Amino acid sequence: ETSTDLLNTMMREAGVCESKRQVYREYLRESKTFDTMTHFREVASKFSPQLKGELLLYTCRSWTASVFYLEAAPERIMMALAQAMSVHFYAKNEELHQQSLCMVEQGTIASAGRILTPGDAFNIDCIVSHKLWRHFPRTISLTYSMVLALDRTQLLQVGGRDPCFRASLKRAAAKIAIMRSMAMCAERA
């Protein structure tokens, strides 16, 4: 409530029109889940590495099945990936400019003609090394949405700690690159 009072005071003093004030108040109200997740991650950061990893692993169980190359990841790798993720919150109709592996935690997002809901992932081809074979379609938040993002560098660095999983990531990247090149050839034919 303190944030709402502060926001109202600032908007009144700045002369923000009433219709825009509603938008900002709604965002603040909807962002409480984001604040809770951020606070949860702060609390988890105080745990030992093992306990922190286990705790954060619970937050990523819902979306691991939507990223085919993470299904076989060892638990310790998934713990490290969960810790490396950043949390982002988007307003309605806001464009997401992410080039990371992203998972929808809350809300509804449109990407590449698909409607994504909690547990869905997008930008899974971020693991491909050559930029030509990566595809980051226009992505828009249809509702207030919370997204977990994992930077490509972090994904490959953490995934590289396990030789078997590193090889699995390389195979997945090759598979995605071949599929993308075939689609590009088909478009030109």
Side-chain angles (χ1 to χ4, degrees), residues 157-175:
Q157 181 182 18
V158 171
R161 295 178 190 165
D162 182 278
C164 291
F165 185 63
R166 180 176 51 237
S168 175
L169 280 176
K170 286 182 179 184
R171 281 190 303 276
K175 179 180 177 181

Side-chain angles (χ1 to χ4, degrees), residues 29 60 113 119 146 162 165:
R29 184 178 64 249
C60 69
M146 186 166 42
D162 182 278
F165 185 63

Side-chain angles (χ1 to χ4, degrees), residues 28-47:
L28 191 61
R29 184 178 64 249
E30 293 291 332
S31 70
K32 287 185 181 186
T33 305
F34 171 73
D35 294 339
T36 301
M37 175 64 95
T38 304
H39 186 65
F40 167 74
R41 291 176 77 85
E42 287 173 16
V43 169
S45 72
K46 294 179 172 91
F47 284 69

